[in-house]
Amino acid sequence: SAVLVDSNLSSATQRYDFEVGFLDNLAGSVTAGVYFDYSDNVNSGKWLCVCTDSGGTTTADSGITVAASTYYRLDIEVNAAASSAVFKIDGTTVATITANIPSGTGNRLGVAVNMRKSVGTTARENRVDYLYYTSAVVR
């Protein structure tokens, strides 16, 4: 997917959490997912790569600090065995996670973009230019 981050980043007075990837829940905390996560108070404001399932959560630092008014191409490739998730930003691999990748029929995930405000009342806006999904696995 290609996302444009708001000209106003998440901050201590106007905090939001922005998630892009495969998620099970948009209303609250993600309990199963493979996704990129951003907030000013998480991972020093850098994109965080996340895999979470009932066994726990594994994260990896992307090394990419989120900048205001910037487009990012975020790609996640999960192999057919759900044993590896490769995270890419602007075509460059930034992390590979091999644990806590949701799999099986009990872990139904949807392609999602989610933004939740947790502090402040001023509106924030992140844009999605395109979202692309393909699957070669039949379950």
Side-chain angles (χ1 to χ4, degrees), residues 117-128:
K117 284 286 297 262
S118 58
V119 177
T121 58
T122 304
R124 294 293 184 248
E125 177 180 289
N126 291 314
R127 298 180 185 157
V128 177

Side-chain angles (χ1 to χ4, degrees), residues 53-126:
D53 67 5
S54 60
T57 300
T58 302
T59 62
D61 180 356
S62 71
I64 306 295
T65 301
V66 176
S69 303
T70 302
Y71 267 105
Y72 295 95
R73 191 177 106 210
L74 306 176
D75 297 312
I76 302 171
E77 298 173 8
V78 179
N79 69 358
S83 60
S84 175
V86 177
F87 293 79
K88 297 179 182 182
I89 297 178
D90 296 330
T92 300
T93 299
V94 294
T96 300
I97 296 178
T98 59
N100 299 308
I101 301 168
S103 64
T105 58
N107 285 307
R108 303 250 179 205
L109 307 178
V111 178
V113 176
N114 192 28
M115 188 167 119
R116 288 185 310 274
K117 284 286 297 262
S118 58
V119 177
T121 58
T122 304
R124 294 293 184 248
E125 177 180 289
N126 291 314

